[in-house]
Amino acid sequence: MTFNLDTQAPAVEQEISPKAPQDWAKIGLILLVFAFFTVILIVPVIYVFVGAFSNGLPGFLGTLSSREFLNALRLTLMAVAVAVPLNVIFGLCAALVLARKSFRGRTFLLSVIDLPFSISPVVAGLMLVSLYGRQGLLNPVLQALDLRIIFAFPGIALATILGGMPFVAREVIPVLEEIGDEEEEAAKTLGASSWQTFWRVTLPAIRWALGYGIILTTARAMGEFGSIAVVSSNLIGRTQTLTLFVDSSYRNYDSQGAFATAVVLAGLAAFTLVIKQLLEHLYTKRYKAE
Amino acid sequence: MTLAAADLRGPNQPKNVLAKISIPWIVVFAHLFIILLFPLLALLLQAIVLNPAQFWALATTPIALSTYNITFGTATVAAIVNMLAGTLTAWVLVRYQFPGKRFLDGIIDLPFALPTAVAGITLATIYNQSGWIGQFFAPFGIQIAFSRVGVAIAMIFVSLPFVVRTVQPVLQEVEPTIEEAAWSLGASRFQTFWKVILPPIIPAILTGTAQAFARAVGEFGSVVLVAANVPFQDLIAPVLVFQRLEGADIPGATVIGLVLLLISLVLLLIINLLQAWGRRYDV
């Protein structure tokens, strides 16, 4: 799940010169790519909207005003409200540490931060259960303190934090490395404290990357499914997040309700992509200007 | 103890890590340990508690073995499909101008952004026997949703962006003039592709393919909704972990989960090595 602003070099207008044997191959290849994307991606995405409005607008609005949906939305937003700020603070600190200092094990630490991308969401949930669950290692302590983590909100929050952990650091590190530390050093030389330097020099320089990292973390938090399914599989009171609500509505043959909720989530996904395109566009323009 | 403690020295002097415990370090390590590393260690310890014979027995039950086969076999198919389709897509996006190019480039990342549960219910609906696409296959007795084919399609969907996004930037760097030089020296188009275009982008293709494979192996949300999740037919390892957890079989889930975790770590190592290999020509 990486979106790097720098993976896409500016789109240079490249046409093979007229001397090149131009034939049907080019058109054939383009059509082939479109056929693949139509079957795998475009048709499914169109269907999300069709399914959501299968009972017309009233059905769609009916789902969005139902108590179950609103409860699911509230729980998801609560998880987002806990996970995103913590991940942003973590990501910023990790970026400052990794981009500004060299130390042994730096590459290893980078890989560790990226781990949540490569672990199956079910295994991520299982890890949390192994530590914080009823038969987990911390159970005696949690019992003594009368804390419930798994099958309760803290477990959902932990799973959400785990899934979105790498995004901010990943977006901010390349930018910090690119801008270098001259301005920060200058600020310090002129007597700024480290906080002042961070707020007035570093933060303005990384604001775009940080903003995009926050959007990615939020999108991931709203869409987190596998690990939350594990840590809340028999939650008392059957409170669900939006993704679990999609899953259970679909299994209970309420496909209209499932797709109406899916549209809300898909809209958020589309929003992240629009922002991404916009940032790339700005970045390319700046890149060309230089 | 402030941020500035060690900052005034040059950025490239190796320093003693213990000498500069600053606020960011504390935040990074607290977060990493509470959220990721302690749970990871807990999973390892839970598995170690079982004796090796028990562990082996749980990890190699007939159902478990069949889920490994189905998971890795289907993920391999998905990774190969994405390797071919992704390389082709990158090629078309870099080299050709055509209507809808921006749109295509914009939607490629959608599988990363779309929640897997949404992908799951959508694919299950479209590819079932009366679905938009499934209906064309039903008369031939081909069932897509609730079978291994559906699992493959879900895996292709979620890992679709990797190869395109790794190959695209590398392909941008390959100058078309080199091809023209090859043609002018009498190479056929096929020879040009095989000997001039392909070699520099091979590391990127392999990196993207390995990433796609790793993602497909761990996928849960979309597959659990598309598949029938029947053992020996289309049950994958992550779904088996989930089913065992639901059945309160913690040791059984832990063992399969640990197998999956170790495989993820090995794949991560392979991906890192591939990336290093890809950068060997970089200045």
Side-chain angles (χ1 to χ4, degrees):
Chain A
M1 298 270 286
T2 59
F3 299 82
N4 275 334
L5 284 179
D6 50 10
T7 49
Q8 285 195 297
V12 188
E13 302 288 310
Q14 288 184 329
E15 272 289 17
I16 305 250
S17 79
K19 279 178 295 195
Q22 281 290 2
D23 53 9
W24 291 98
K26 170 182 156 178
I27 296 166
L29 291 180
I30 293 172
L31 288 177
L32 197 62
V33 168
F34 267 104
F36 175 76
F37 273 84
T38 303
V39 171
I40 297 289
L41 191 58
I42 300 173
V43 170
V45 170
I46 290 171
Y47 190 85
V48 175
F49 292 88
V50 173
F53 293 98
S54 57
N55 300 345
L57 193 63
F60 176 73
L61 295 174
T63 299
L64 298 201
S65 55
S66 71
R67 208 159 45 87
E68 293 89 349
F69 173 85
L70 291 171
N71 279 337
L73 181 66
R74 204 189 60 213
L75 189 63
T76 295
L77 291 178
M78 276 166 63
V80 166
V82 173
V84 172
L86 284 173
N87 273 335
V88 170
I89 293 168
F90 163 76
L92 273 175
C93 290
L96 287 171
V97 163
L98 285 159
R100 287 285 175 264
K101 304 201 170 42
S102 59
F103 49 90
R104 231 169 312 159
R106 182 178 172 275
T107 320
F108 179 72
L109 187 57
L110 269 170
S111 303
V112 170
I113 289 173
D114 271 348
L115 262 187
F117 281 158
S118 20
I119 295 173
S120 173
V122 181
V123 177
L126 181 69
M127 281 163 30
L128 294 170
V129 171
S130 306
L131 184 61
Y132 300 108
R134 194 84 335 200
Q135 299 171 39
L137 293 184
L138 279 184
N139 192 43
V141 182
L142 296 172
Q143 289 278 21
L145 296 171
D146 199 25
L147 282 173
R148 269 186 89 82
I149 294 188
I150 301 300
F151 307 143
F153 179 71
I156 293 177
L158 284 171
T160 309
I161 298 169
L162 183 54
M165 190 191 269
F167 290 108
V168 173
R170 274 201 162 195
E171 294 302 323
V172 173
I173 289 172
V175 179
L176 274 181
E177 284 178 340
E178 197 187 345
I179 60 174
D181 61 356
E182 288 86 358
E183 291 190 0
E184 288 166 26
E185 295 295 334
K188 283 189 187 129
T189 315
L190 295 168
S193 70
S194 20
W195 274 113
Q196 283 174 314
T197 309
F198 175 74
W199 280 110
R200 297 192 183 173
V201 178
T202 316
L203 200 59
I206 58 172
R207 62 182 186 276
W208 289 108
L210 177 64
Y212 187 48
I214 293 172
I215 289 170
L216 288 180
T217 312
T218 310
R220 172 70 201 241
M222 306 261 307
E224 193 63 53
F225 175 61
S227 58
I228 294 183
V230 170
V231 299
S232 69
S233 55
N234 34 17
L235 197 61
I236 313 287
R238 308 264 320 123
T239 322
Q240 298 170 317
T241 60
L242 284 176
T243 48
L244 294 180
F245 180 67
V246 167
D247 176 58
S248 73
S249 304
Y250 185 77
R251 288 175 197 276
N252 296 328
Y253 304 102
D254 173 17
S255 97
Q256 195 274 330
F259 279 104
T261 312
V263 160
V264 175
L265 290 165
L268 190 83
F271 173 74
T272 53
L273 292 190
V274 169
I275 296 283
K276 172 176 190 271
Q277 290 279 322
L278 204 70
L279 288 174
E280 266 169 13
H281 186 69
L282 290 169
Y283 183 82
T284 310
K285 259 171 66 173
R286 206 187 66 193
Y287 191 95
K288 275 189 175 156
E290 287 168 3
Chain B
M1 282 302 181
T2 63
L3 282 170
D7 282 3
L8 285 173
R9 282 177 277 173
N12 292 325
Q13 298 170 13
K15 303 171 207 108
N16 180 0
V17 174
L18 290 174
K20 50 174 181 52
I21 303 287
S22 58
I23 296 168
W25 276 109
I26 295 168
V27 170
V28 167
F29 278 100
H31 196 91
L32 272 181
F33 274 99
I34 294 170
I35 307 288
L36 176 67
L37 296 174
F38 285 141
L40 192 70
L41 288 170
L43 177 61
L44 290 172
L45 284 170
Q46 296 274 32
I48 289 168
V49 168
L50 303 163
N51 67 53
Q54 241 181 328
F55 183 96
W56 190 248
L58 283 170
T60 56
T61 58
I63 288 186
L65 289 176
S66 84
T67 62
Y68 305 146
N69 270 330
I70 292 166
T71 308
F72 299 123
T74 320
T76 304
V77 170
I80 289 171
V81 168
N82 273 332
M83 178 173 85
L84 300 172
T87 307
L88 177 64
T89 305
W91 171 260
V92 162
L93 282 172
V94 170
R95 284 303 167 85
Y96 302 144
Q97 297 301 323
F98 53 91
K101 180 172 159 168
R102 279 202 72 115
F103 166 77
L104 188 66
D105 196 38
I107 60 165
I108 284 170
D109 292 315
L110 205 52
F112 281 160
L114 200 70
T116 53
V118 174
I121 63 169
T122 310
L123 295 171
T125 310
I126 285 185
Y127 284 100
N128 74 27
Q129 293 182 337
S130 54
W132 280 6
I133 296 175
Q135 63 183 349
F136 298 112
F137 292 87
F140 304 102
I142 300 171
Q143 198 189 9
I144 300 180
F146 312 115
S147 79
R148 216 178 288 192
V149 185
V151 174
I153 286 180
M155 286 178 173
I156 291 169
F157 182 96
V158 297
S159 58
L160 185 125
F162 287 107
V163 180
V164 186
R165 291 305 185 215
T166 47
V167 174
Q168 218 176 349
V170 183
L171 208 50
Q172 296 270 22
E173 307 286 302
V174 181
E175 297 289 336
T177 46
I178 301 177
E179 280 166 70
E180 286 170 28
W183 286 331
S184 68
L185 293 169
S188 68
R189 301 194 74 180
F190 182 74
Q191 281 175 312
T192 306
F193 176 76
W194 208 245
K195 300 219 162 124
V196 177
I197 301 165
L198 201 56
I201 60 172
I202 280 180
I205 293 175
L206 291 178
T207 303
T209 306
Q211 285 174 334
F213 180 78
R215 175 68 215 263
V217 165
E219 179 55 21
F220 169 77
S222 58
V223 174
V224 76
L225 285 154
V226 167
N229 304 309
V230 176
F232 307 106
Q233 279 178 40
D234 63 355
L235 183 68
I236 56 163
V239 177
L240 178 65
V241 173
F242 187 74
Q243 287 182 351
R244 286 188 171 177
L245 276 169
E246 280 198 314
D249 175 11
I250 302 264
T254 302
V255 165
I256 311 282
L258 191 68
V259 170
L260 276 173
L261 178 67
L262 294 176
I263 286 161
S264 309
L265 295 179
V266 169
L267 286 170
L268 191 64
L269 184 70
I270 291 171
I271 289 164
N272 278 327
L273 291 173
L274 282 169
Q275 279 172 328
W277 180 51
R279 278 194 299 263
R280 73 199 185 285
Y281 297 126
D282 288 3
V283 182

